[in-house]
Amino acid sequence: MKVIISGYGRMGHMVEKELQRRGIEIALASEDITAVDPALAEDCVCIDFTWPDSFRKNYPFIAKHFKAAVVGTTGWSDILPEVRKAFEEAGTPLIYASNFSLGVNALYAAVTRAAGMLKGAGYTPAIEETHHIHKLDAPSGTAKVLGALVEESLGEKPEITAHREGEVPGIHTVTFTSECDKLTFTHEAFSREGLAAGAVTAALMTEGLSGVHEFSELL
């Protein structure tokens, strides 16, 4: 497998480090993925950690020219139907996630299970998230996913509170509060390396894969 990294900021460098650690070939790291030679792209998996506006502009090129794509960029969920259509029509497999951390995906599963067990028992849900000041979307994509999971399983929409502080990699807390007790689920990232590791794991999953998938569906 060969990889082209789309977006060579902090996450791009972490993805590069993880690919090197696993001995996976890096064909290119690009700030402008649309400038990549299509002949090179067709043999490569694109791992995208850019900005929401960049991905909105670039996804048609990625869908048309790459062998497969892994997208960790957030803030574009409102155009998911169009993105899905573009990749499916091009026959290009896509794995996307609001958060590629394996720990966060375990949190998704735990919160879903707990919310289902508490349905109708008088619990009020809430979500709080804190990220670094460079993060553009608020609430985070991860918080939105958690909110959707809670609403679907509990039948009640949680209030989401977002904070932007310093260089915090990411903290997500889900609470269920009743008159009798309170349950708290928290995931705290110590660095963004877990996101890079999960994205590279997803890139390996694209071998022989077809269609568009959220990362949690494949775990």
Side-chain angles (χ1 to χ4, degrees), residues 158-201:
E159 179 182 352
I160 301 177
T161 304
H163 306 282
R164 296 292 172 264
E165 301 174 3
E167 298 296 332
V168 178
I171 303 172
H172 292 88
T173 298
V174 182
T175 57
F176 299 95
T177 305
S178 75
E179 293 181 356
C180 301
D181 57 13
K182 178 179 181 180
L183 284 78
T184 302
F185 296 83
T186 297
H187 176 273
E188 179 176 358
F190 299 141
S191 73
R192 299 175 204 171
E193 292 179 1
L195 303 177
V200 173
T201 296

mmCIF file of all heavy atoms in Angstrom, residues 158-201:
data_model
loop_
_atom_site.group_PDB
_atom_site.id
_atom_site.type_symbol
_atom_site.label_atom_id
_atom_site.label_comp_id
_atom_site.label_asym_id
_atom_site.label_seq_id
_atom_site.Cartn_x
_atom_site.Cartn_y
_atom_site.Cartn_z
ATOM 1 N N PRO A 158 -29.282 15.464 24.061
ATOM 2 C CA PRO A 158 -28.469 16.070 25.121
ATOM 3 C C PRO A 158 -28.026 17.483 24.766
ATOM 4 O O PRO A 158 -27.840 17.830 23.600
ATOM 5 C CB PRO A 158 -27.246 15.140 25.184
ATOM 6 C CG PRO A 158 -27.119 14.630 23.784
ATOM 7 C CD PRO A 158 -28.537 14.491 23.262
ATOM 8 N N GLU A 159 -27.847 18.308 25.773
ATOM 9 C CA GLU A 159 -27.226 19.614 25.580
ATOM 10 C C GLU A 159 -25.728 19.410 25.432
ATOM 11 O O GLU A 159 -25.115 18.639 26.174
ATOM 12 C CB GLU A 159 -27.512 20.525 26.767
ATOM 13 C CG GLU A 159 -26.885 21.905 26.652
ATOM 14 C CD GLU A 159 -27.148 22.778 27.858
ATOM 15 O OE1 GLU A 159 -27.949 22.368 28.720
ATOM 16 O OE2 GLU A 159 -26.539 23.855 27.932
ATOM 17 N N ILE A 160 -25.121 20.084 24.450
ATOM 18 C CA ILE A 160 -23.683 19.972 24.212
ATOM 19 C C ILE A 160 -23.016 21.309 24.513
ATOM 20 O O ILE A 160 -23.411 22.349 23.987
ATOM 21 C CB ILE A 160 -23.377 19.557 22.765
ATOM 22 C CG1 ILE A 160 -24.029 18.208 22.428
ATOM 23 C CG2 ILE A 160 -21.865 19.464 22.553
ATOM 24 C CD1 ILE A 160 -23.838 17.767 20.994
ATOM 25 N N THR A 161 -21.987 21.280 25.360
ATOM 26 C CA THR A 161 -21.225 22.470 25.705
ATOM 27 C C THR A 161 -19.799 22.312 25.185
ATOM 28 O O THR A 161 -19.158 21.277 25.422
ATOM 29 C CB THR A 161 -21.184 22.684 27.227
ATOM 30 O OG1 THR A 161 -22.525 22.743 27.732
ATOM 31 C CG2 THR A 161 -20.455 23.970 27.570
ATOM 32 N N ALA A 162 -19.305 23.320 24.460
ATOM 33 C CA ALA A 162 -17.965 23.256 23.873
ATOM 34 C C ALA A 162 -17.058 24.323 24.481
ATOM 35 O O ALA A 162 -17.476 25.459 24.715
ATOM 36 C CB ALA A 162 -18.048 23.446 22.362
ATOM 37 N N HIS A 163 -15.807 23.948 24.730
ATOM 38 C CA HIS A 163 -14.793 24.867 25.245
ATOM 39 C C HIS A 163 -13.563 24.811 24.346
ATOM 40 O O HIS A 163 -13.202 23.749 23.838
ATOM 41 C CB HIS A 163 -14.374 24.490 26.669
ATOM 42 C CG HIS A 163 -15.502 24.366 27.634
ATOM 43 N ND1 HIS A 163 -16.121 25.452 28.212
ATOM 44 C CD2 HIS A 163 -16.145 23.261 28.123
ATOM 45 C CE1 HIS A 163 -17.085 25.042 29.021
ATOM 46 N NE2 HIS A 163 -17.120 23.713 28.982
ATOM 47 N N ARG A 164 -12.901 25.942 24.146
ATOM 48 C CA ARG A 164 -11.650 26.001 23.390
ATOM 49 C C ARG A 164 -10.588 26.628 24.288
ATOM 50 O O ARG A 164 -10.668 27.812 24.619
ATOM 51 C CB ARG A 164 -11.839 26.820 22.102
ATOM 52 C CG ARG A 164 -12.826 26.188 21.130
ATOM 53 C CD ARG A 164 -12.269 24.886 20.549
ATOM 54 N NE ARG A 164 -13.252 24.154 19.752
ATOM 55 C CZ ARG A 164 -13.997 23.164 20.209
ATOM 56 N NH1 ARG A 164 -13.895 22.802 21.478
ATOM 57 N NH2 ARG A 164 -14.827 22.526 19.426
ATOM 58 N N GLU A 165 -9.589 25.797 24.663
ATOM 59 C CA GLU A 165 -8.588 26.225 25.626
ATOM 60 C C GLU A 165 -7.197 25.747 25.218
ATOM 61 O O GLU A 165 -7.007 24.557 24.939
ATOM 62 C CB GLU A 165 -8.905 25.665 27.018
ATOM 63 C CG GLU A 165 -10.251 26.077 27.587
ATOM 64 C CD GLU A 165 -10.564 25.382 28.895
ATOM 65 O OE1 GLU A 165 -9.697 24.623 29.378
ATOM 66 O OE2 GLU A 165 -11.676 25.579 29.426
ATOM 67 N N GLY A 166 -6.237 26.643 25.195
ATOM 68 C CA GLY A 166 -4.828 26.294 25.025
ATOM 69 C C GLY A 166 -4.554 25.287 23.934
ATOM 70 O O GLY A 166 -4.985 25.443 22.793
ATOM 71 N N GLU A 167 -3.837 24.227 24.295
ATOM 72 C CA GLU A 167 -3.455 23.178 23.342
ATOM 73 C C GLU A 167 -4.062 21.829 23.720
ATOM 74 O O GLU A 167 -3.472 20.780 23.444
ATOM 75 C CB GLU A 167 -1.927 23.071 23.269
ATOM 76 C CG GLU A 167 -1.230 24.328 22.767
ATOM 77 C CD GLU A 167 -1.596 24.670 21.331
ATOM 78 O OE1 GLU A 167 -1.914 23.745 20.563
ATOM 79 O OE2 GLU A 167 -1.561 25.868 20.982
ATOM 80 N N VAL A 168 -5.221 21.827 24.353
ATOM 81 C CA VAL A 168 -5.860 20.579 24.795
ATOM 82 C C VAL A 168 -6.148 19.674 23.597
ATOM 83 O O VAL A 168 -6.876 20.070 22.676
ATOM 84 C CB VAL A 168 -7.184 20.879 25.526
ATOM 85 C CG1 VAL A 168 -7.864 19.580 25.939
ATOM 86 C CG2 VAL A 168 -6.929 21.762 26.742
ATOM 87 N N PRO A 169 -5.603 18.451 23.552
ATOM 88 C CA PRO A 169 -5.831 17.557 22.420
ATOM 89 C C PRO A 169 -7.298 17.159 22.261
ATOM 90 O O PRO A 169 -7.789 16.997 21.147
ATOM 91 C CB PRO A 169 -4.973 16.324 22.749
ATOM 92 C CG PRO A 169 -3.923 16.839 23.668
ATOM 93 C CD PRO A 169 -4.602 17.896 24.492
ATOM 94 N N GLY A 170 -8.000 16.988 23.384
ATOM 95 C CA GLY A 170 -9.412 16.644 23.292
ATOM 96 C C GLY A 170 -9.923 15.908 24.512
ATOM 97 O O GLY A 170 -9.334 14.911 24.936
ATOM 98 N N ILE A 171 -10.990 16.427 25.103
ATOM 99 C CA ILE A 171 -11.650 15.764 26.227
ATOM 100 C C ILE A 171 -13.147 15.750 25.935
ATOM 101 O O ILE A 171 -13.732 16.784 25.603
ATOM 102 C CB ILE A 171 -11.407 16.501 27.563
ATOM 103 C CG1 ILE A 171 -9.914 16.634 27.851
ATOM 104 C CG2 ILE A 171 -12.100 15.764 28.710
ATOM 105 C CD1 ILE A 171 -9.599 17.522 29.048
ATOM 106 N N HIS A 172 -13.764 14.575 26.039
ATOM 107 C CA HIS A 172 -15.209 14.438 25.840
ATOM 108 C C HIS A 172 -15.812 13.743 27.047
ATOM 109 O O HIS A 172 -15.337 12.674 27.454
ATOM 110 C CB HIS A 172 -15.523 13.635 24.575
ATOM 111 C CG HIS A 172 -15.142 14.349 23.314
ATOM 112 N ND1 HIS A 172 -13.888 14.238 22.760
ATOM 113 C CD2 HIS A 172 -15.863 15.173 22.508
ATOM 114 C CE1 HIS A 172 -13.844 14.983 21.660
ATOM 115 N NE2 HIS A 172 -15.016 15.548 21.478
ATOM 116 N N THR A 173 -16.839 14.347 27.605
ATOM 117 C CA THR A 173 -17.515 13.778 28.775
ATOM 118 C C THR A 173 -19.015 13.706 28.519
ATOM 119 O O THR A 173 -19.632 14.686 28.108
ATOM 120 C CB THR A 173 -17.255 14.624 30.028
ATOM 121 O OG1 THR A 173 -15.853 14.627 30.315
ATOM 122 C CG2 THR A 173 -18.007 14.066 31.225
ATOM 123 N N VAL A 174 -19.578 12.535 28.756
ATOM 124 C CA VAL A 174 -21.017 12.313 28.631
ATOM 125 C C VAL A 174 -21.555 11.957 30.014
ATOM 126 O O VAL A 174 -21.011 11.080 30.692
ATOM 127 C CB VAL A 174 -21.337 11.174 27.646
ATOM 128 C CG1 VAL A 174 -22.849 10.992 27.506
ATOM 129 C CG2 VAL A 174 -20.699 11.439 26.292
ATOM 130 N N THR A 175 -22.608 12.662 30.437
ATOM 131 C CA THR A 175 -23.210 12.363 31.736
ATOM 132 C C THR A 175 -24.689 12.019 31.572
ATOM 133 O O THR A 175 -25.366 12.524 30.673
ATOM 134 C CB THR A 175 -23.088 13.547 32.709
ATOM 135 O OG1 THR A 175 -23.706 14.705 32.125
ATOM 136 C CG2 THR A 175 -21.643 13.859 33.016
ATOM 137 N N PHE A 176 -25.154 11.142 32.453
ATOM 138 C CA PHE A 176 -26.575 10.802 32.566
ATOM 139 C C PHE A 176 -26.944 11.040 34.026
ATOM 140 O O PHE A 176 -26.429 10.359 34.917
ATOM 141 C CB PHE A 176 -26.824 9.345 32.187
ATOM 142 C CG PHE A 176 -26.438 8.995 30.776
ATOM 143 C CD1 PHE A 176 -25.188 8.458 30.495
ATOM 144 C CD2 PHE A 176 -27.322 9.198 29.722
ATOM 145 C CE1 PHE A 176 -24.829 8.126 29.202
ATOM 146 C CE2 PHE A 176 -26.971 8.874 28.421
ATOM 147 C CZ PHE A 176 -25.733 8.336 28.163
ATOM 148 N N THR A 177 -27.843 11.995 34.276
ATOM 149 C CA THR A 177 -28.167 12.384 35.641
ATOM 150 C C THR A 177 -29.641 12.147 35.949
ATOM 151 O O THR A 177 -30.518 12.538 35.162
ATOM 152 C CB THR A 177 -27.849 13.875 35.865
ATOM 153 O OG1 THR A 177 -26.487 14.133 35.511
ATOM 154 C CG2 THR A 177 -28.064 14.264 37.322
ATOM 155 N N SER A 178 -29.897 11.516 37.084
ATOM 156 C CA SER A 178 -31.273 11.307 37.551
ATOM 157 C C SER A 178 -31.392 11.880 38.952
ATOM 158 O O SER A 178 -30.431 12.435 39.507
ATOM 159 C CB SER A 178 -31.617 9.821 37.570
ATOM 160 O OG SER A 178 -30.991 9.165 38.658
ATOM 161 N N GLU A 179 -32.546 11.726 39.572
ATOM 162 C CA GLU A 179 -32.729 12.186 40.946
ATOM 163 C C GLU A 179 -31.936 11.323 41.924
ATOM 164 O O GLU A 179 -31.661 11.745 43.054
ATOM 165 C CB GLU A 179 -34.213 12.160 41.319
ATOM 166 C CG GLU A 179 -35.052 13.171 40.547
ATOM 167 C CD GLU A 179 -36.508 13.137 40.972
ATOM 168 O OE1 GLU A 179 -36.854 12.270 41.800
ATOM 169 O OE2 GLU A 179 -37.287 13.976 40.478
ATOM 170 N N CYS A 180 -31.569 10.125 41.477
ATOM 171 C CA CYS A 180 -30.916 9.168 42.373
ATOM 172 C C CYS A 180 -29.398 9.104 42.210
ATOM 173 O O CYS A 180 -28.679 8.852 43.179
ATOM 174 C CB CYS A 180 -31.473 7.767 42.150
ATOM 175 S SG CYS A 180 -33.252 7.636 42.408
ATOM 176 N N ASP A 181 -28.923 9.314 40.976
ATOM 177 C CA ASP A 181 -27.490 9.141 40.743
ATOM 178 C C ASP A 181 -27.051 9.797 39.434
ATOM 179 O O ASP A 181 -27.864 10.397 38.722
ATOM 180 C CB ASP A 181 -27.108 7.649 40.745
ATOM 181 C CG ASP A 181 -27.894 6.837 39.709
ATOM 182 O OD1 ASP A 181 -28.547 7.440 38.838
ATOM 183 O OD2 ASP A 181 -27.835 5.602 39.759
ATOM 184 N N LYS A 182 -25.769 9.668 39.147
ATOM 185 C CA LYS A 182 -25.189 10.256 37.951
ATOM 186 C C LYS A 182 -24.125 9.328 37.388
ATOM 187 O O LYS A 182 -23.268 8.845 38.134
ATOM 188 C CB LYS A 182 -24.568 11.621 38.273
ATOM 189 C CG LYS A 182 -23.893 12.327 37.113
ATOM 190 C CD LYS A 182 -23.349 13.681 37.585
ATOM 191 C CE LYS A 182 -22.681 14.445 36.473
ATOM 192 N NZ LYS A 182 -22.159 15.748 36.941
ATOM 193 N N LEU A 183 -24.199 9.066 36.094
ATOM 194 C CA LEU A 183 -23.186 8.267 35.412
ATOM 195 C C LEU A 183 -22.338 9.204 34.561
ATOM 196 O O LEU A 183 -22.878 10.092 33.893
ATOM 197 C CB LEU A 183 -23.811 7.210 34.505
ATOM 198 C CG LEU A 183 -24.411 5.970 35.163
ATOM 199 C CD1 LEU A 183 -25.775 6.295 35.746
ATOM 200 C CD2 LEU A 183 -24.532 4.849 34.141
ATOM 201 N N THR A 184 -21.026 8.984 34.565
ATOM 202 C CA THR A 184 -20.119 9.829 33.795
ATOM 203 C C THR A 184 -19.170 8.976 32.963
ATOM 204 O O THR A 184 -18.528 8.057 33.486
ATOM 205 C CB THR A 184 -19.276 10.737 34.724
ATOM 206 O OG1 THR A 184 -20.145 11.543 35.511
ATOM 207 C CG2 THR A 184 -18.352 11.627 33.912
ATOM 208 N N PHE A 185 -19.092 9.279 31.676
ATOM 209 C CA PHE A 185 -18.172 8.605 30.765
ATOM 210 C C PHE A 185 -17.242 9.670 30.189
ATOM 211 O O PHE A 185 -17.714 10.651 29.597
ATOM 212 C CB PHE A 185 -18.911 7.935 29.616
ATOM 213 C CG PHE A 185 -19.837 6.825 30.045
ATOM 214 C CD1 PHE A 185 -21.118 7.103 30.505
ATOM 215 C CD2 PHE A 185 -19.428 5.505 29.972
ATOM 216 C CE1 PHE A 185 -21.969 6.090 30.895
ATOM 217 C CE2 PHE A 185 -20.274 4.481 30.362
ATOM 218 C CZ PHE A 185 -21.547 4.775 30.824
ATOM 219 N N THR A 186 -15.942 9.487 30.336
ATOM 220 C CA THR A 186 -14.989 10.482 29.846
ATOM 221 C C THR A 186 -13.862 9.840 29.050
ATOM 222 O O THR A 186 -13.302 8.813 29.453
ATOM 223 C CB THR A 186 -14.357 11.275 31.011
ATOM 224 O OG1 THR A 186 -15.369 12.012 31.696
ATOM 225 C CG2 THR A 186 -13.305 12.255 30.508
ATOM 226 N N HIS A 187 -13.549 10.453 27.922
ATOM 227 C CA HIS A 187 -12.342 10.094 27.183
ATOM 228 C C HIS A 187 -11.451 11.321 27.121
ATOM 229 O O HIS A 187 -11.887 12.401 26.707
ATOM 230 C CB HIS A 187 -12.666 9.636 25.759
ATOM 231 C CG HIS A 187 -11.423 9.350 24.957
ATOM 232 N ND1 HIS A 187 -10.756 10.335 24.256
ATOM 233 C CD2 HIS A 187 -10.725 8.205 24.774
ATOM 234 C CE1 HIS A 187 -9.696 9.797 23.663
ATOM 235 N NE2 HIS A 187 -9.653 8.518 23.968
ATOM 236 N N GLU A 188 -10.196 11.172 27.537
ATOM 237 C CA GLU A 188 -9.235 12.267 27.467
ATOM 238 C C GLU A 188 -8.048 11.841 26.617
ATOM 239 O O GLU A 188 -7.372 10.851 26.920
ATOM 240 C CB GLU A 188 -8.751 12.659 28.858
ATOM 241 C CG GLU A 188 -7.722 13.783 28.839
ATOM 242 C CD GLU A 188 -7.296 14.239 30.215
ATOM 243 O OE1 GLU A 188 -7.834 13.710 31.220
ATOM 244 O OE2 GLU A 188 -6.418 15.115 30.295
ATOM 245 N N ALA A 189 -7.807 12.567 25.544
ATOM 246 C CA ALA A 189 -6.649 12.293 24.698
ATOM 247 C C ALA A 189 -5.430 12.995 25.278
ATOM 248 O O ALA A 189 -5.498 14.171 25.644
ATOM 249 C CB ALA A 189 -6.910 12.786 23.278
ATOM 250 N N PHE A 190 -4.302 12.293 25.361
ATOM 251 C CA PHE A 190 -3.064 12.898 25.842
ATOM 252 C C PHE A 190 -2.281 13.550 24.699
ATOM 253 O O PHE A 190 -1.433 14.405 24.927
ATOM 254 C CB PHE A 190 -2.192 11.846 26.524
ATOM 255 C CG PHE A 190 -2.856 11.212 27.725
ATOM 256 C CD1 PHE A 190 -2.698 9.867 27.974
ATOM 257 C CD2 PHE A 190 -3.633 11.967 28.594
ATOM 258 C CE1 PHE A 190 -3.299 9.279 29.080
ATOM 259 C CE2 PHE A 190 -4.239 11.396 29.696
ATOM 260 C CZ PHE A 190 -4.069 10.038 29.936
ATOM 261 N N SER A 191 -2.551 13.101 23.483
ATOM 262 C CA SER A 191 -1.924 13.670 22.290
ATOM 263 C C SER A 191 -2.811 13.303 21.112
ATOM 264 O O SER A 191 -3.817 12.611 21.269
ATOM 265 C CB SER A 191 -0.520 13.105 22.082
ATOM 266 O OG SER A 191 -0.587 11.758 21.621
ATOM 267 N N ARG A 192 -2.433 13.734 19.924
ATOM 268 C CA ARG A 192 -3.204 13.405 18.731
ATOM 269 C C ARG A 192 -2.655 12.175 18.018
ATOM 270 O O ARG A 192 -3.102 11.823 16.926
ATOM 271 C CB ARG A 192 -3.222 14.605 17.784
ATOM 272 C CG ARG A 192 -3.867 15.831 18.412
ATOM 273 C CD ARG A 192 -3.770 17.041 17.510
ATOM 274 N NE ARG A 192 -3.849 18.262 18.296
ATOM 275 C CZ ARG A 192 -3.623 19.478 17.816
ATOM 276 N NH1 ARG A 192 -3.297 19.627 16.556
ATOM 277 N NH2 ARG A 192 -3.710 20.527 18.584
ATOM 278 N N GLU A 193 -1.685 11.513 18.635
ATOM 279 C CA GLU A 193 -1.081 10.334 18.007
ATOM 280 C C GLU A 193 -2.083 9.206 17.839
ATOM 281 O O GLU A 193 -2.003 8.415 16.898
ATOM 282 C CB GLU A 193 0.127 9.870 18.827
ATOM 283 C CG GLU A 193 1.286 10.854 18.789
ATOM 284 C CD GLU A 193 2.467 10.400 19.625
ATOM 285 O OE1 GLU A 193 2.388 9.307 20.218
ATOM 286 O OE2 GLU A 193 3.463 11.145 19.690
ATOM 287 N N GLY A 194 -3.047 9.124 18.761
ATOM 288 C CA GLY A 194 -4.069 8.087 18.634
ATOM 289 C C GLY A 194 -4.917 8.271 17.392
ATOM 290 O O GLY A 194 -5.381 7.290 16.789
ATOM 291 N N LEU A 195 -5.138 9.528 16.986
ATOM 292 C CA LEU A 195 -5.890 9.798 15.759
ATOM 293 C C LEU A 195 -5.115 9.311 14.542
ATOM 294 O O LEU A 195 -5.685 8.729 13.613
ATOM 295 C CB LEU A 195 -6.162 11.296 15.631
ATOM 296 C CG LEU A 195 -6.901 11.983 16.774
ATOM 297 C CD1 LEU A 195 -7.002 13.477 16.500
ATOM 298 C CD2 LEU A 195 -8.287 11.382 16.954
ATOM 299 N N ALA A 196 -3.809 9.560 14.547
ATOM 300 C CA ALA A 196 -2.966 9.133 13.430
ATOM 301 C C ALA A 196 -2.922 7.614 13.330
ATOM 302 O O ALA A 196 -3.033 7.043 12.238
ATOM 303 C CB ALA A 196 -1.563 9.699 13.595
ATOM 304 N N ALA A 197 -2.790 6.940 14.473
ATOM 305 C CA ALA A 197 -2.740 5.481 14.480
ATOM 306 C C ALA A 197 -4.036 4.892 13.948
ATOM 307 O O ALA A 197 -4.029 3.940 13.153
ATOM 308 C CB ALA A 197 -2.464 4.979 15.896
ATOM 309 N N GLY A 198 -5.172 5.459 14.364
ATOM 310 C CA GLY A 198 -6.455 4.961 13.879
ATOM 311 C C GLY A 198 -6.642 5.208 12.399
ATOM 312 O O GLY A 198 -7.193 4.363 11.677
ATOM 313 N N ALA A 199 -6.174 6.362 11.912
ATOM 314 C CA ALA A 199 -6.311 6.671 10.487
ATOM 315 C C ALA A 199 -5.494 5.718 9.634
ATOM 316 O O ALA A 199 -5.943 5.280 8.561
ATOM 317 C CB ALA A 199 -5.881 8.109 10.224
ATOM 318 N N VAL A 200 -4.294 5.376 10.098
ATOM 319 C CA VAL A 200 -3.469 4.424 9.349
ATOM 320 C C VAL A 200 -4.097 3.028 9.395
ATOM 321 O O VAL A 200 -4.092 2.291 8.400
ATOM 322 C CB VAL A 200 -2.027 4.405 9.890
ATOM 323 C CG1 VAL A 200 -1.213 3.300 9.221
ATOM 324 C CG2 VAL A 200 -1.361 5.763 9.651
ATOM 325 N N THR A 201 -4.666 2.665 10.529
ATOM 326 C CA THR A 201 -5.401 1.396 10.619
ATOM 327 C C THR A 201 -6.537 1.379 9.608
ATOM 328 O O THR A 201 -6.763 0.372 8.922
ATOM 329 C CB THR A 201 -5.968 1.203 12.036
ATOM 330 O OG1 THR A 201 -4.885 1.100 12.963
ATOM 331 C CG2 THR A 201 -6.836 -0.041 12.130
#
